[in-house]
Amino acid sequence: MSRVVKKRFTPKVLPVSERLRSFGEVVLGYDYETSVREASRCLRCPLWFAPCSKACPLRVKVPAFLEYIVKGDLEAAARKVYEDNLFPSITGRVCPQEWFCEGSCVVSKIGESVSVGLLERYVGDYARENGLDEKILAEMVSKNSGVKGRVAVVGSGPAGLSAAGWLRLRGYEVVVYEALHRPGGVLAYGIPEFRLPRSVLDHEIKKVENLGVEIRLNHVVGKTVLLSELLSEYDAVFIGSGAGTPKLLNIPGVDLNNVYTANEFLTRVNLMRAHLFPEWDTPISVGKTTLIIGGGNTAMDAARVALRLGSKPVVVYRRDREDMLKTARRDEVLHAEEEGVEFRYYLQPVEFLGDENGFVKAVRFEVMEPLNELDERGKKKIVGTGRYVEIPADTVVIAIGLEPNRLLMEESGLRFNEDGTIAVDDHLMMSLPGVFAGGDAIRGESTVVEAMADGKRAAEEIDLYVRRKKGLA
Amino acid sequence: MFRVTMKEDLNEQDYYLEVEAPHVSRHWRPGQFVIIVTHERGERVPMSVATINGGRVGMFIKKLGKTSVELYRDFKVGSSLYAVAGPLGRPLKLESYGTVVLASDAVCGHAEQLGLAQELAKLGNKVISIQTFKTEKEVYPEKYLAKKYVDEHFITTLDGTAGYKGHYIDLLRELLARREVKAVFAGGVLANLKKLAEATAGLNARVYALVRTIMVDGTGMCGSCRVRYNGVIAYACRDGPWFDARLVDWDDVLRRDARFKKVEKIALDKYLAR
Ligand SMILES: Cc1cc2nc3c(=O)[nH]c(=O)nc-3n(C[C@H](O)[C@H](O)[C@H](O)COP(=O)(O)OP(=O)(O)OC[C@H]3O[C@@H](n4cnc5c(N)ncnc54)[C@H](O)[C@@H]3O)c2cc1C
Ligand SMILES: Cc1cc2nc3c(=O)[nH]c(=O)nc-3n(C[C@H](O)[C@H](O)[C@H](O)COP(=O)(O)OP(=O)(O)OC[C@H]3O[C@@H](n4cnc5c(N)ncnc54)[C@H](O)[C@@H]3O)c2cc1C
Ligand code: SF4
Ligand code: FES
């Protein structure tokens, strides 16, 4: 075997100076030559062994599609990816590959792992830009004969879109019910366009619609239509309602003005385009300094949005950088750092302080320190020191996580776990026969790719369930 | 989709707007609201539901800022709204209380009265309605008042040019002294709801208020609408918008309502200068 190239090829990236006031995409990706070179770094592990593919929740056959890139046959590469993943332009951009494929790549033992994510994105974008994706999907869907049944999908986030797509490919009629006026879930309201451009997301959604999936916007299941109605109208229901409700800090001053949850802050900008106010109607109010409390993807996104709104962002995390990289995608941390986002570690907020008009003016933190002990998730346990610091800020974004949205709960009579997630069995079915669920709704906060994998598996389980019910299997 | 089917002036500031939204009207119950979006660039704006006519949803809207003014000026019968979502919020769990009072002094409150009055009457309550306007000139046309659904109806005006002189709180105080009122439902100006909560502090009756907060999604996803209720944080869009008035932290509600005052003015001025 030829010598392994230890260093990965770097993609084109928008210069920092151009990012500061722009929502344009930051990572511009590979060109053809670089993608071939990067794909050539792959050792072509046999599929039964390839750890990258095994670590991928969608089981994308990584070495197989990389081999086609090396050969220059991008259409074949795209076909290979589409066998397992309908949304490579999305996952290639937002997956934390270091926890999945790239994290287990053999090459990482002696050098840097193969950039599977950027290559997947390259193939996905190539297919999209050349109309291949529609062609491949049309071929895949044409393999069906007749309609096997009708399925309702609740929520149009990654879990719902993936379930809808795979169900269509299995020959089902699918209607997606979405509460908001735009489909996409967190992809539309949470992840900023400098990471996932609107044009890409819109295309990926259109693709699902072109397969014949109907998306009914402005429909809140549990309010506009009831689960019981869906059950009588459809053969099965898939719930991909996400982990929609933000956790708030239960400390004094949390009600002050300009204290946002990350979901409000990001939704105002990403979904409602408040950065284009007043050309767009939704306002946002940010001051000179924005403190972002938390250390996950949401915190990174909020910080980088604040920066682009002209505020100075300071991310305050109660643990250290090493632990932060266990919750946030590495690239986003690196980009935030190079864009000049300031980071403060080992600080836990205890109080928000307000001015005489009820706007936040500072946050008081307790200084924390690590113990020599790890928690269940492998992060260092921390304790308070009894020492306090105050950081002035006129805007605060709380990004400490989400819990499942209880909206559906009220009406449905379904069984929920203590933490609010939906309880499902090994077949992703809930306590109500014919109702399946996946994504953040069952996992709590997880990842785009895991939500998509749930949607894909649910499609398989639903297919089996419906065929059994109809005596076809 | 979401075609405007009717638009009428209620007075100089407020207007009636009816849109086609059969998906909303099917399950709507009193206490629930809708969110409308004018056009692709529009804001998600919550509105109380005044009327349901088959698949059409009618609202009372006040010309206040960019969205409500634009909607009045640029949308005609036949135009379409970009989005109408709902019904949102929790329906009020209404009972047979006995004598109940409905009170309002602004658009959303007047709108809510219509649905509430009909439902409360159906449940066998004796319904008294008080609707407060600034002067006689502002009083809504009769067909948009709660009058036809209730046992007793009072108009009050602040200057006394029509009906009782004073605010609904003044009249309510008098009624409470004379009658055994079992429940009060009030909506409108937030500062006056705070006064209502104070005025009914010791009263042995239910007192519910429409807590109007600034919303984005209206589904419990963002926390913009949060309000301190009985010491903990509640989401008005998901847990409300009707709450026990005496457990609401009104100072918190009033403060958060002023969050975007500065920028809202920019949007309106820019629209008007077009
Ligand atoms: C700011 C942010 C950044 C993130 N960054 C990353 C990242 O870089 N990489 C990564 O892998 N993961 C990331 N995540 C996590 C990832 O986005 C989620 O795990 C994923 O979106 C879950 O998908 P889902 O389909 O289960 O739910 P969601 O994406 O939450 O979608 C749920 C959808 O259901 C709708 N819905 C809810 N209730 C109802 C109802 N009753 N009726 C109708 N519709 C309803 C909602 O409106 C929403 O559109 C991030 C999350 C956030 C918040
Ligand atoms: C449950 C509920 C029911 C309502 N019912 C009615 C009604 O029946 N008729 C009516 O005219 N208005 C109603 N409102 C208020 C209405 O949503 C706002 O007046 C409207 O958003 C103003 O938009 P604007 O652009 O015209 O004014 P802006 O200049 O944008 O705002 C003026 C004021 O309206 C409020 N407001 C602004 N944006 C929002 C928002 N996104 N959500 C809530 N409030 C906001 C704030 O108090 C703000 O200071 C209701 C609000 C809620 C929460
Ligand atoms: S583990 Fe790495 S080297 Fe092996 S097939 Fe996957 S990408 Fe290629
Ligand atoms: S408006 Fe977003 S949670 Fe209520």
Side-chain angles (χ1 to χ4, degrees):
Chain A
M1 201 176 287
S2 62
R3 264 186 31 241
V4 182
V5 181
K6 288 194 184 150
K7 278 199 80 69
R8 37 168 70 186
F9 292 90
T10 47
K12 278 207 221 73
V13 177
L14 199 69
V16 171
S17 59
E18 283 175 42
R19 291 187 219 161
L20 298 182
R21 291 311 282 268
S22 144
F23 280 77
E25 187 166 26
V26 168
V27 178
L28 302 170
Y30 287 145
D31 54 19
Y32 176 71
E33 282 72 29
T34 330
S35 72
V36 172
R37 274 193 222 119
E38 181 64 24
S40 307
R41 294 180 59 230
C42 169
L43 304 176
R44 231 58 66 66
C45 306
L47 258 186
W48 60 266
F49 163 74
C52 51
S53 180
K54 283 194 183 150
C56 173
L58 288 166
R59 298 285 181 279
V60 171
K61 299 177 201 80
V62 176
F65 94 80
L66 297 200
E67 190 172 351
Y68 282 122
I69 299 181
V70 176
K71 285 189 190 146
D73 189 347
L74 293 175
E75 176 160 353
R79 279 179 199 286
K80 203 35 98 184
V81 172
Y82 268 78
E83 283 177 16
D84 304 290
N85 180 1
L86 304 181
F87 307 101
S89 287
I90 295 177
T91 51
R93 285 179 166 80
V94 305
C95 276
Q97 284 90 4
E98 65 273 21
W99 306 338
F100 298 114
C101 52
E102 295 177 11
S104 44
C105 172
V106 186
V107 180
S108 66
K109 305 265 180 325
I110 48 166
E112 290 175 345
S113 62
V114 176
S115 297
V116 179
L118 284 164
L119 291 168
E120 185 179 64
R121 162 186 166 152
Y122 181 73
V123 170
D125 286 358
Y126 178 85
R128 188 181 70 250
E129 282 152 17
N130 294 282
L132 290 174
D133 51 353
E134 302 276 359
K135 182 172 139 198
I136 295 170
L137 287 170
E139 282 168 24
M140 286 166 87
V141 81
S142 70
K143 295 209 179 92
N144 295 299
S145 51
V147 177
K148 288 201 239 165
R150 279 167 57 76
V151 181
V153 169
V154 181
S156 64
L161 287 175
S162 165
W166 289 108
L167 280 162
R168 260 318 277 147
L169 293 175
R170 284 174 179 273
Y172 287 84
E173 275 179 16
V174 186
V175 179
V176 178
Y177 293 85
E178 169 55 52
L180 296 174
H181 62 281
R182 249 172 174 277
V186 172
L187 303 176
Y189 71 69
I191 298 181
E193 58 186 318
F194 52 79
R195 289 215 281 137
L196 179 63
R198 282 308 90 122
S199 56
V200 174
L201 178 60
D202 287 348
H203 181 93
E204 298 296 295
I205 290 165
K206 197 89 207 103
K207 204 166 82 178
V208 176
E209 288 180 307
N210 288 348
L211 268 178
V213 170
E214 186 194 342
I215 303 181
R216 288 195 193 148
L217 301 171
N218 307 304
H219 278 68
V220 185
V221 174
K223 304 269 178 203
T224 315
V225 272
L226 308 181
L227 191 57
S228 52
E229 291 173 314
L230 295 180
L231 272 171
S232 63
E233 222 182 293
Y234 297 89
D235 297 305
V237 177
F238 174 77
I239 296 181
S241 54
T245 295
K247 287 186 198 150
L248 277 165
L249 285 160
N250 199 9
I251 57 174
V254 70
D255 311 311
L256 287 166
N257 292 357
N258 276 8
V259 175
Y260 295 91
T261 69
N263 266 14
E264 181 187 349
F265 191 75
L266 291 170
T267 301
R268 281 183 181 276
V269 174
N270 298 331
L271 184 73
M272 306 308 298
R273 327 288 274 167
H275 56 297
L276 302 176
F277 180 90
E279 269 67 47
W280 290 62
D281 294 346
T282 303
I284 191 159
S285 143
V286 285
K288 291 202 186 71
T289 310
T290 302
L291 285 195
I292 298 96
I293 296 169
N297 281 320
T298 314
M300 297 310 122
D301 285 343
R304 298 172 70 202
V305 164
L307 182 92
R308 285 160 174 77
L309 293 173
S311 186
K312 171 167 179 41
V314 183
V315 172
V316 190
Y317 186 47
R318 61 190 172 134
R319 304 168 189 276
D320 61 8
R321 186 174 185 277
E322 190 192 335
D323 281 339
M324 190 167 75
L325 288 168
K326 295 185 182 124
T327 55
R329 197 171 176 262
R330 181 187 49 209
D331 265 6
E332 311 316 327
V333 174
L334 299 179
H335 288 144
E337 287 170 342
E338 68 191 30
E339 285 166 14
V341 173
E342 190 184 324
F343 286 83
R344 305 275 303 259
Y345 298 104
Y346 286 124
L347 294 176
Q348 166 100 330
V350 291
E351 185 178 359
F352 300 106
L353 307 166
D355 67 14
E356 61 287 354
N357 297 318
F359 282 77
V360 66
K361 64 170 189 194
V363 185
R364 222 165 107 78
F365 293 90
E366 180 172 15
V367 181
M368 309 300 285
E369 62 186 18
L371 290 174
N372 235 341
E373 232 180 293
L374 299 183
D375 67 11
E376 330 74 69
R377 289 193 294 165
K379 294 178 191 164
K380 290 178 276 297
K381 282 193 181 162
I382 46 171
V383 283
T385 58
R387 282 182 292 119
Y388 295 87
V389 292
E390 220 174 275
I391 307 181
D394 43 19
T395 312
V396 171
V397 179
I398 302 174
I400 58 165
L402 303 170
E403 54 197 20
N405 195 336
R406 287 175 282 143
L407 206 64
L408 257 177
M409 232 191 267
E410 303 193 341
E411 171 257 332
S412 64
L414 291 165
R415 203 156 56 81
F416 289 85
N417 298 317
E418 218 164 275
D419 62 0
T421 54
I422 295 176
V424 290
D425 65 15
D426 293 344
H427 305 283
L428 296 180
M429 190 153 90
M430 306 171 64
S431 47
L432 214 61
V435 184
F436 295 76
D440 280 5
I442 63 166
R443 297 172 180 274
E445 264 179 292
S446 66
T447 57
V448 169
V449 68
E450 286 166 285
M452 286 181 177
D454 285 348
K456 179 171 146 190
R457 191 154 78 80
E460 202 178 312
E461 298 284 359
I462 288 171
D463 187 18
L464 207 63
Y465 169 86
V466 174
R467 283 192 292 133
R468 274 211 194 109
K469 199 167 86 171
K470 296 191 169 178
L472 298 171
Chain B
M1 285 268 269
F2 317 127
R3 228 168 41 92
V4 175
T5 49
M6 200 165 149
K7 196 174 78 176
E8 254 176 44
D9 284 335
L10 295 167
N11 60 27
E12 244 168 44
Q13 284 174 36
D14 304 350
Y15 58 100
Y16 175 76
L17 185 87
E18 190 185 71
V19 295
E20 270 170 11
H23 64 303
V24 172
S25 63
R26 244 163 27 96
H27 285 305
W28 177 84
R29 306 289 306 140
Q32 291 186 296
F33 62 97
V34 295
I35 281 195
I36 60 173
V37 187
T38 46
H39 45 67
E40 199 193 357
R41 296 174 170 216
E43 188 175 2
R44 291 177 65 89
V45 168
M47 286 289 161
S48 296
V49 172
T51 61
I52 298 279
N53 292 318
R56 302 191 305 274
V57 174
M59 297 160 278
F60 292 174
I61 303 177
K62 183 189 183 127
K63 286 173 257 173
L64 187 66
K66 158 90 201 300
T67 303
S68 47
V69 172
E70 182 182 33
L71 197 52
Y72 182 76
R73 292 199 180 179
D74 299 353
F75 287 70
K76 306 187 224 10
V77 171
S79 320
S80 283
L81 302 196
Y82 182 69
V84 179
L88 297 164
R90 260 189 212 149
L92 266 163
K93 286 202 187 75
L94 300 174
E95 301 165 20
S96 307
Y97 307 94
T99 302
V100 301
V101 173
L102 305 178
S104 56
D105 59 355
V107 260
C108 51
H110 297 316
E112 300 269 342
Q113 280 216 16
L114 301 185
L116 283 172
Q118 292 174 70
E119 189 70 18
L120 286 164
K122 231 187 268 168
L123 289 165
N125 291 287
K126 180 171 168 49
V127 186
I128 302 171
S129 156
I130 312 174
Q131 298 192 263
T132 298
F133 298 90
K134 243 196 238 135
T135 69
E136 183 187 19
K137 226 175 74 194
E138 269 97 50
V139 177
Y140 288 178
E142 184 127 341
K143 70 166 176 171
Y144 292 111
L145 293 173
K147 196 165 177 178
K148 54 182 175 283
Y149 304 120
V150 299
D151 300 290
E152 286 176 64
H153 186 255
F154 297 94
I155 297 282
T156 87
T157 48
L158 300 184
D159 65 355
T161 42
Y164 175 95
K165 179 173 195 276
H167 190 264
Y168 72 68
I169 295 186
D170 306 317
L171 180 54
L172 180 68
R173 277 212 183 88
E174 288 181 20
L175 286 175
L176 290 176
R178 288 188 273 125
R179 313 267 277 264
E180 200 185 342
V181 173
K182 288 292 194 203
V184 178
F185 297 84
V189 177
L190 294 172
N192 293 331
L193 292 170
K194 178 184 175 188
K195 284 188 203 144
L196 171 79
E198 287 160 3
T200 54
L203 187 70
N204 183 22
R206 320 259 181 110
V207 182
Y208 296 102
L210 174 68
V211 180
R212 184 180 59 69
T213 60
I214 296 179
M215 298 187 177
V216 183
D217 60 301
T219 67
M221 179 270 276
C222 78
S224 171
C225 63
R226 66 187 188 269
V227 26
R228 200 155 274 277
Y229 180 66
N230 204 9
V232 297
I233 290 166
Y235 286 2
C237 71
R238 184 191 63 199
D239 308 321
W242 285 87
F243 290 95
D244 183 331
R246 293 167 297 188
L247 298 178
V248 172
D249 181 341
W250 288 105
D251 291 330
D252 178 46
V253 173
L254 288 165
R255 173 164 35 73
R256 288 185 59 81
D257 189 49
R259 282 200 288 157
F260 298 112
K261 278 269 153 25
K262 264 191 239 152
V263 281
E264 282 158 359
K265 189 164 169 350
I266 299 175
L268 181 61
D269 291 347
K270 189 163 164 123
Y271 169 76
L272 294 175
R274 259 190 346 180

